[in-house]
Amino acid sequence: MSKILVVDDEQKIREVIREYSEFNGFEVTEAADGMTAVGLCKLNDYDLIIMDIMMPKLDGFTACKEIKKIKDIPIIMLSARSEEYDKLFGFELGIDDYVVKPFSPKELMARVNAVLSRRKGGAPTQPQVLEFGGLCINIAARTVTVDGEKVELTPKEYDLLFYLVENRNIALSRDKLLSDIWGYDFFGDDRTIDTHIKNLRNNLGKYRDYIVTLRGVGYKFEV
């Protein structure tokens, strides 16, 4: 079981990352600041660190620099800032990936798996670019193109499409889609799924038929 250290001064963010990480089979340790993270890395071994930049006591960049002095642990940086300078500076320090807040927990997990797979010399559990004919889905960039033309999807439409594609050829009930994409605390009904599916199909144009309706059940992505 891979061990992940989650470093962020916002408790809610740590809780969300912990929930998704443990669901994906990772063992999670938390830290609320960079100084604590450095101390934990001196005492323990971790397979990957997810670390915020703006934190009290010791910021993420400085903590990353100190950790790299003692151990070669892959690091994914989190930041509310998307400036190119921050990204370049992070990569110069040796980080493996950079995720801008607010982020999709599912996308973060895809990036975690990709980084771990690269370090182990294997292939990512899910390719970062998926192509089905002229339909191209770039997971890392969260972009979708149809015959080379970029289509604009809402965050939830993207999450829905990626989830369908990730579980392609598997029948997915509306309840499961609501639970896994909108979350257990979502207050809504099946029509939410149907509306998003309709909009998603419209955006996919001639590839709309990849999303198959299963009467009385739900939907599935089938090529």
Side-chain angles (χ1 to χ4, degrees):
M1 179 184 292
S2 295
K3 296 181 179 180
I4 294 179
L5 174 61
V6 178
V7 191
D8 198 300
D9 59 328
E10 295 186 50
Q11 183 179 348
K12 288 185 178 180
I13 290 180
R14 296 201 309 271
E15 289 175 352
V16 168
I17 297 175
R18 171 185 282 277
E19 180 181 348
Y20 276 82
S21 297
E22 290 180 342
F23 179 78
N24 281 271
F26 300 120
E27 182 181 323
V28 179
T29 301
E30 296 181 28
D33 59 77
M35 193 169 292
T36 302
V38 174
L40 285 170
C41 289
K42 289 179 179 178
L43 298 173
N44 307 286
D45 291 324
Y46 299 100
D47 297 289
L48 183 137
I49 300 171
I50 300 173
M51 181 152 50
D52 187 31
I53 293 177
M54 303 300 292
M55 293 185 295
K57 297 184 181 180
L58 200 66
D59 66 90
F61 284 143
T62 306
C64 173
K65 191 182 295 185
E66 292 303 311
I67 290 169
K68 289 293 185 181
K69 289 179 181 178
I70 54 177
K71 289 181 180 177
D72 182 23
I73 305 173
I75 296 175
I76 296 178
M77 299 296 288
L78 301 177
S79 177
R81 305 186 303 187
S82 59
E83 283 84 354
E84 184 179 34
Y85 169 80
D86 287 334
K87 294 181 181 180
L88 292 175
F89 185 64
F91 286 122
E92 286 175 2
L93 289 177
I95 70 168
D96 292 75
D97 208 342
Y98 188 105
V99 177
V100 179
K101 296 179 179 179
F103 58 87
S104 160
K106 294 184 180 68
E107 180 189 350
L108 178 60
M109 288 301 103
R111 289 172 180 260
V112 166
N113 283 319
V115 170
L116 289 174
S117 295
R118 286 199 300 268
R119 283 299 183 111
K120 293 176 181 176
T125 57
Q126 189 70 237
Q128 293 300 288
V129 178
L130 301 167
E131 295 185 10
F132 305 94
L135 175 62
C136 179
I137 304 167
N138 189 317
I139 299 170
R142 285 179 69 81
T143 59
V144 176
T145 58
V146 172
D147 293 334
E149 294 291 326
K150 185 178 179 181
V151 296
E152 296 297 332
L153 301 181
T154 66
K156 273 291 181 283
E157 286 169 1
Y158 180 86
D159 290 343
L160 178 58
L161 176 61
F162 177 55
Y163 189 85
L164 288 167
V165 169
E166 188 180 31
N167 295 280
R168 52 192 173 275
N169 300 318
I170 298 174
L172 301 166
S173 69
R174 290 176 175 83
D175 286 343
K176 182 166 181 58
L177 291 170
L178 275 175
S179 174
D180 289 358
I181 299 173
W182 274 261
Y184 57 84
D185 56 348
F186 174 77
F187 295 98
D189 55 34
D190 292 352
R191 287 173 296 181
T192 299
I193 294 294
D194 297 336
T195 299
H196 279 77
I197 288 289
K198 179 182 177 181
N199 293 336
L200 189 53
R201 280 173 169 160
N202 289 337
N203 280 308
L204 296 185
K206 67 182 184 183
Y207 301 106
R208 60 185 293 120
D209 292 337
Y210 285 169
I211 301 176
V212 179
T213 300
L214 303 171
R215 292 188 179 278
V217 180
Y219 300 94
K220 72 174 176 178
F221 188 92
E222 185 176 71
V223 179

